[in-house]
Amino acid sequence: SPGMREVYRVIDRVADKEVLVTILGESGTGKELVAKAIHAKSPRGHYPFIAINCGAVPDSLLGSELFGHQKGAFTGASIDRQGYLEYAHKGTLFLDEIGMLPLELQGKLLRFFQEGEFIRLGSNRLRTADVRIIAATHQNLEDRVREGSFREDLFHRLNVISVHVPTLAERRSDIPLLATHFLEEVCEDAHKQVRGFSAEALEALRRYR
């Protein structure tokens, strides 16, 4: 469909450029797959691709997950630990649902964007990491800025290059292609031979809300 061809064009255009890309789209539309495609086509493709869902990790742990911590930084921190920024060194860090990032961590992330520096929790030593950031959200970040829950300066850093991943409702012509692809996968896994879908079945899939 035209919407997906545009997604592919953006992937090809930005993959080899060190630019921050924000992927927009509803949950389940494949934003992480787009991020993986950008990473795979980039010069960083042979290095780690690390993904973290900012909305799935408790706020109290998210800073440690991203930036790491020193032994004794908080109850239960029994050893020094690298964060995802260090694990992703030379590769790509995918920040899914970045709109859910707490304000305090937004400031620390902005500093990393600007200076390439960060500090582990419980430490005062500046560290650096060579990481490409790709962000994603299903939220309207402009609304979050107006509400005061998202930093305007961070929003402007994220709002340079964006790609919208359409929902299936916006790309119904792709549904037969996707259905056939998944049918082939199921047949291979289950060692079955199913020739395909009837015209009525495909029409039912295309019409589904």
Side-chain angles (χ1 to χ4, degrees):
S1 63
M4 285 309 297
R5 288 200 297 270
E6 177 59 23
V7 170
Y8 298 145
R9 279 194 291 270
V10 174
I11 290 171
D12 288 337
R13 193 167 71 241
V14 304
D16 63 349
K17 297 177 177 63
E18 287 292 309
V19 293
L20 198 160
V21 179
T22 302
I23 304 168
L24 309 173
E26 293 185 16
S27 297
T29 49
K31 297 188 291 295
E32 185 169 340
L33 290 175
V34 173
K36 285 181 176 178
I38 293 171
H39 171 74
K41 285 174 169 281
S42 77
R44 298 177 181 269
H46 297 295
Y47 293 97
F49 175 90
I50 306 291
I52 180 170
N53 186 323
C54 300
V57 180
D59 290 357
S60 58
L61 296 177
L62 191 53
S64 171
E65 293 291 298
L66 274 175
F67 303 108
H69 63 252
Q70 295 297 108
K71 179 180 178 180
F74 52 85
T75 303
S78 56
I79 58 172
D80 295 348
R81 182 181 180 277
Q82 289 185 334
Y84 286 139
L85 276 176
E86 290 176 85
Y87 283 123
H89 184 61
K90 293 190 176 181
T92 301
L93 178 62
F94 175 55
L95 298 176
D96 197 7
E97 297 304 344
I98 195 168
M100 304 294 290
L101 197 67
L103 276 169
E104 177 192 359
L105 296 184
Q106 291 175 30
K108 293 181 178 180
L109 184 64
L110 184 65
R111 177 180 177 83
F112 178 74
F113 287 159
Q114 293 171 337
E115 308 293 340
E117 298 174 340
F118 65 96
I119 299 174
R120 286 182 183 176
L121 269 66
S123 172
N124 56 10
R125 175 188 160 194
L126 282 174
R127 299 174 185 270
T128 61
D130 175 15
V131 176
R132 180 181 189 172
I133 302 288
I134 299 177
T137 183
H138 76 282
Q139 298 182 330
N140 186 318
L141 293 183
E142 288 185 86
D143 289 345
R144 300 274 289 173
V145 170
R146 282 192 288 270
E147 294 165 1
S149 57
F150 202 84
R151 291 178 62 122
E152 186 173 7
D153 45 6
L154 180 57
F155 167 73
H156 289 304
R157 290 300 294 256
L158 296 171
N159 199 37
V160 178
I161 295 180
S162 62
V163 53
H164 170 72
V165 186
T167 64
L168 278 180
E170 297 172 293
R171 49 185 287 222
R172 292 179 185 273
S173 61
D174 291 343
I175 290 174
L177 299 171
L178 290 164
T180 300
H181 167 76
F182 290 122
L183 177 64
E184 289 172 354
E185 281 193 345
V186 170
C187 288
E188 185 175 344
D189 291 343
H191 306 291
K192 300 287 185 182
Q193 288 189 334
V194 180
R195 289 193 300 275
F197 296 90
S198 68
E200 293 81 5
L202 284 179
E203 183 60 24
L205 290 172
R206 275 195 294 258
R207 285 175 170 269
Y208 188 66
R209 65 177 177 82

